[in-house]
Amino acid sequence: MSSPPIQIVYCSWSNYKKEEWALAKDAIELDATGKKLGELFDIRFRRVATTEPLLCDLEAMVKFKVESAYRQVQVPCIVEHAGLILEGLEDKSFPGGLTQPMWDSLAPEQFVAACSTLTSRAVARAVVGYCDGLNVHTFVGETRGTLSRSARGTREFYWDTIFCPDGFGDRTYAEIVKADHSGLGEKLAVSQSIKALKAFMLHRLAAEPSLFPAL
């Protein structure tokens, strides 16, 4: 008899994330297991107001964020934060955690114009943070691509309208997904978020949460 899926609390307000998981759980396999993500994990979304410092370093931000989430839900949980890292500035992780406030403050064209003085190439980086009550772990997923000069596509999820992953003919994530969302599976196949989530899942399958200190 197969084991029931492991329940994981995902602290997020994003309806886009819920939509992506609803498809990914039945469409994407976890590497080396031969099983769909939903066969292994039962993700329960909770709308939790988290806090994090404003840093370029996404992993440092996520460590703080997941600790903030755990203090509220009091069960093992995950959070995620994503950002763009400009090519040539990987050592500084720029803009990284500053991507969100820049994006919120600027129109897409202004955002790209500000970045294009440095480069048009970028890495989309997602970091999943996991807290089991005693320990915090982070898992990174990356997808390389270019920045479009203008917003393209109708699914306005964060910077999906300007990021063009390599191998998709200069289409943005939003264009790949399409207006009817029929291309969402294509996006998820190369998504930095799914890569980070799968890395977490492989870790969780191999390690029970450390809820109590060893005596």
Side-chain angles (χ1 to χ4, degrees):
M1 184 186 303
S2 60
S3 301
I6 298 170
Q7 287 190 10
I8 293 293
V9 171
Y10 189 157
C11 297
S12 174
W13 289 68
S14 175
N15 289 326
Y16 292 105
K17 285 297 173 189
K18 292 180 182 179
E19 178 189 30
E20 293 190 351
W21 172 247
L23 178 61
K25 67 184 180 68
D26 298 320
I28 296 178
E29 288 188 357
L30 185 60
D31 308 334
T33 69
K35 293 185 177 181
K36 298 291 193 296
L37 302 185
E39 294 181 77
L40 298 167
F41 289 88
D42 175 15
I43 288 184
R44 306 290 181 90
F45 285 88
R46 289 198 194 177
R47 295 167 66 86
V48 174
T50 57
T51 57
E52 67 267 352
L54 194 59
L55 302 169
C56 289
D57 187 334
L58 283 164
E59 287 191 76
M61 282 184 67
V62 165
K63 286 178 181 178
F64 193 102
K65 184 175 182 177
V66 75
E67 289 174 358
S68 168
Y70 183 87
R71 284 194 292 270
Q72 296 180 69
V73 299
Q74 294 292 299
V75 293
C77 63
I78 61 172
V79 301
E80 181 193 340
H81 203 90
L84 295 172
I85 312 296
L86 298 182
E87 189 173 86
L89 294 173
E90 291 90 347
D91 60 329
K92 300 183 184 299
S93 189
F94 181 82
L98 303 183
T99 306
Q100 182 76 63
M102 287 176 62
W103 183 260
D104 291 343
S105 300
L106 303 172
E109 289 76 14
Q110 293 174 317
F111 178 91
V112 174
C115 294
S116 65
T117 60
L118 300 169
T119 180
S120 63
R121 294 284 300 169
V123 176
R125 177 179 295 167
V127 180
V128 167
Y130 169 54
C131 181
D132 63 15
L134 279 180
N135 304 295
V136 171
H137 303 274
T138 56
F139 307 90
V140 179
E142 293 186 341
T143 300
R144 293 189 174 274
T146 59
L147 301 180
S148 169
R149 293 190 177 185
S150 60
R152 304 198 310 261
T154 58
R155 189 175 187 258
E156 297 181 353
F157 174 33
Y158 204 6
W159 28 262
D160 274 19
T161 55
I162 59 123
F163 183 74
C164 307
D166 290 344
F168 285 83
D170 197 40
R171 289 183 293 161
T172 66
Y173 268 154
E175 288 179 306
I176 293 167
V177 173
K178 302 177 183 176
D180 61 1
H181 296 191
S182 62
L184 183 58
E186 283 188 83
K187 179 207 169 180
L188 296 183
V190 295
S191 165
Q192 66 283 344
S193 295
I194 294 297
K195 292 173 184 175
L197 185 63
K198 288 166 75 173
F200 154 70
M201 290 177 169
L202 288 171
H203 165 83
R204 176 59 186 82
L205 287 175
E208 289 291 326
S210 300
L211 297 177
F212 304 100
L215 298 178

